Amino acid sequence: VASDESCAADGTCSESLRPARHARQQKVLRDDPKPSRRKGAVKSLIEQEVLELEALSEIYHKQLTLLEDLQRGLHAGLGRHLPKPNVQALLEAAPLVSEQVIC
């Protein structure tokens, strides 16, 4: 039988222990002797984000290279196997997507 001063096996505590137990947990968090552990986690997330952005940059660079090659090929007449409307659509000037207003 659990007394008023203990917690049950399922983790539930009597009403009288909840505030004291919560206060002890909060003190442990405030008095953490290794706050660098938290900073390390932030640094790790930042490093992960930098790595991800570098990988995206590499993908975009490859995509730009492919598009430039396609453009040079179409200007040189290498797109004869493509339907003429498709070639024209690829070669005509279009407004920049970044400058488009979306309503």
Side-chain angles (χ1 to χ4, degrees):
V1 177
S3 71
D4 286 338
E5 299 297 314
S6 64
C7 295
D10 65 354
T12 58
C13 295
S14 66
E15 289 296 322
S16 64
L17 284 182
R18 284 189 184 152
R21 189 169 187 215
H22 179 70
R24 283 193 306 271
Q25 290 171 345
Q26 290 300 318
K27 182 173 179 358
V28 168
L29 291 174
R30 277 194 314 269
D31 299 339
D32 187 359
K34 298 181 182 175
S36 62
R37 208 173 17 184
R38 291 185 204 131
K39 289 180 185 174
V42 171
K43 182 179 177 185
S44 177
L45 289 174
I46 291 171
E47 287 174 350
Q48 288 177 26
E49 188 69 21
V50 168
L51 291 173
E52 200 169 314
L53 289 171
E54 287 172 347
L56 281 173
S57 176
E58 186 177 329
I59 290 169
Y60 291 142
H61 180 72
K62 288 177 182 179
Q63 186 177 12
L64 283 172
T65 302
L66 287 172
L67 290 171
E68 289 167 349
D69 289 346
L70 174 63
Q71 187 177 34
R72 280 192 298 273
L74 291 174
H75 282 297
L78 298 176
R80 287 178 284 223
H81 62 283
L82 296 173
K84 190 169 179 115
N86 292 23
V87 174
Q88 288 174 340
L90 289 169
L91 292 176
E92 71 183 28
L96 295 175
V97 175
S98 62
E99 294 177 359
Q100 297 304 304
V101 177
I102 301 174
C103 298

